[in-house]
Amino acid sequence: ALLASFMTTPSTAMNIIHTEKSLYRNILVYEEDEQRCMSFTRHNRTARQSCQSLDEPDQFVFSYTKMMMGALYLNPHPRNILIVGLGGGVLPTALSRMFPDAGIDVVEIDPAVVKVARQFFGFNPKPNVRVFEEDGRVFVKRAGKSSQRYELIMLDAFDHEYIPEHLLTREFLLEVKTLLTADGVLAANTFSSSRLYHHESTTYQSVFGLFYNLRVELKNRVVLAKMDGLPLRDAIERNANLLEEKLKLLGFGGDWLMPLFSTDRDWNHDARVLTDQYSPSNLLNSAF
């Protein structure tokens, strides 16, 4: 269950190189416009779970992956990292390269996605990367019971439509919160183009308080929160300078990322918080 991004105008030159059915979805791997992409549906070619440049595979293609790395501006040296959702393995591959001494746990519910990421997207985890093939919420609950703690947690779990309902709720986010260290950072990939945006925003705010709300284009939004409070702008700029050389290798830098940092609360504050009893994402997310 992984991330989704969107193409503006699909071309007609899609070359399908692999299809695979799993217990959870149909996986499609195709090449188009000098990119190799993974999709969880054949019927909506604008939905892409992961893409990689064929010419420059180390550089990020999606805006949302760049925004997720903004979490490093809140903590530039994470030693323990959890990523829920694998896709093509873009985030764990980059973080493993940047922080070879950090322990990175990746949780992916679908073994077929792990297989495809390895075979077609160059996901070759180093010894510091552990992959767990299980439901993200089950992993989080079990990790909480064993007192596991992370300095950085990235939530990037999507199916062919959106984030699974049980990974949207206040109860789940409270479980995630227990896994963060005292200065831990959360980064969550979401969308901003439906009524669900307002409910998600009030839900994150109810658990984490003030957060940075990074938005770009029409759909992508990343939530950045920190357990001991958000650092001020000058601290973020110092961290951005520390990371500039490493991020440039991924195809972007602070000149693109810094202007996106905002704490503006541009949602309906009366929107109902999502809970295990109330999480109708299939209805609220229908207004794309």
Side-chain angles (χ1 to χ4, degrees):
L2 286 119
L3 73 132
S5 189
F6 287 80
M7 296 183 289
T8 53
T9 307
S11 73
T12 58
M14 182 174 71
N15 177 32
I16 298 174
I17 61 175
H18 181 73
T19 59
E20 185 159 339
K21 290 185 178 181
S22 76
L23 179 64
Y24 300 97
R25 58 181 62 89
N26 294 324
I27 302 172
L28 178 71
V29 180
Y30 65 91
E31 292 180 354
E32 183 177 47
D33 298 330
E34 300 181 355
Q35 295 179 1
R36 177 173 292 177
C37 298
M38 180 191 301
S39 177
F40 291 160
T41 172
R42 178 187 297 269
H43 304 294
N44 181 6
R45 287 170 51 198
T46 63
R48 304 179 296 176
Q49 274 59 47
S50 193
C51 280
Q52 185 179 67
S53 169
L54 295 176
D55 293 330
E56 298 176 293
D58 292 337
Q59 297 202 358
F60 283 8
V61 171
F62 290 156
S63 296
Y64 101 87
T65 51
K66 302 173 186 177
M67 291 193 291
M68 292 287 276
M69 298 297 276
L72 300 176
Y73 287 2
L74 308 188
N75 181 351
H77 303 292
R79 291 166 296 181
N80 295 287
I81 301 170
L82 171 63
I83 303 173
V84 180
L86 176 65
V90 170
L91 289 172
T93 296
L95 288 167
S96 177
R97 188 180 301 119
M98 293 175 68
F99 306 107
D101 296 326
I104 302 175
D105 291 342
V106 183
V107 184
E108 168 54 51
I109 194 172
D110 192 346
V113 169
V114 178
K115 173 186 173 184
V116 168
R118 289 176 181 269
Q119 185 173 354
F120 295 99
F121 293 89
F123 177 60
N124 182 26
K126 305 300 182 185
N128 64 319
V129 179
R130 300 186 299 176
V131 179
F132 298 86
E133 296 176 352
E134 61 181 290
D135 181 273
R137 186 155 183 181
V138 173
F139 178 91
V140 166
K141 190 179 294 289
R142 184 180 296 120
K145 290 181 178 179
S146 64
S147 300
Q148 178 68 49
R149 296 293 181 267
Y150 297 95
E151 294 176 345
L152 172 59
I153 296 178
M154 292 184 164
L155 302 181
D156 189 23
F158 281 72
D159 56 27
H160 68 286
E161 293 180 342
Y162 196 54
I163 301 168
E165 289 184 357
H166 68 301
L167 303 183
L168 285 171
T169 67
R170 173 179 168 84
E171 290 89 343
F172 170 66
L173 293 180
L174 286 170
E175 292 169 355
V176 169
K177 188 176 182 179
T178 66
L179 300 187
L180 286 166
T181 59
D183 60 348
V185 176
L186 172 81
N189 175 29
T190 76
F191 291 161
S192 61
S193 58
S194 76
R195 290 174 294 167
L196 192 57
Y197 174 79
H198 305 282
H199 295 269
E200 282 183 307
S201 299
T202 57
T203 304
Y204 274 94
Q205 184 178 16
S206 74
V207 175
F208 294 101
L210 190 68
F211 58 81
Y212 281 114
N213 194 39
L214 281 61
R215 295 180 58 176
V216 69
E217 300 167 349
L218 296 176
K219 296 184 182 297
N220 294 112
R221 184 266 288 266
V222 166
V223 171
L224 298 179
K226 197 168 190 288
M227 287 292 286
D228 58 353
L230 297 181
L232 299 177
R233 188 82 181 185
D234 58 347
I236 292 177
E237 289 176 351
R238 287 195 299 270
N239 290 337
N241 290 333
L242 288 174
L243 293 162
E244 186 69 8
E245 185 175 343
K246 291 181 177 180
L247 293 184
K248 284 295 185 183
L249 296 176
L250 303 177
F252 67 100
D255 56 343
W256 183 89
L257 192 52
M258 280 297 302
L260 301 179
F261 275 75
S262 171
T263 56
D264 292 344
R265 298 188 295 173
D266 59 351
W267 55 83
N268 178 2
H269 297 176
D270 295 326
R272 186 172 174 180
V273 170
L274 299 171
T275 68
D276 286 347
Q277 288 70 43
Y278 178 81
S279 184
S281 61
N282 59 327
L283 298 177
L284 293 170
N285 209 33
S286 62
F288 277 112

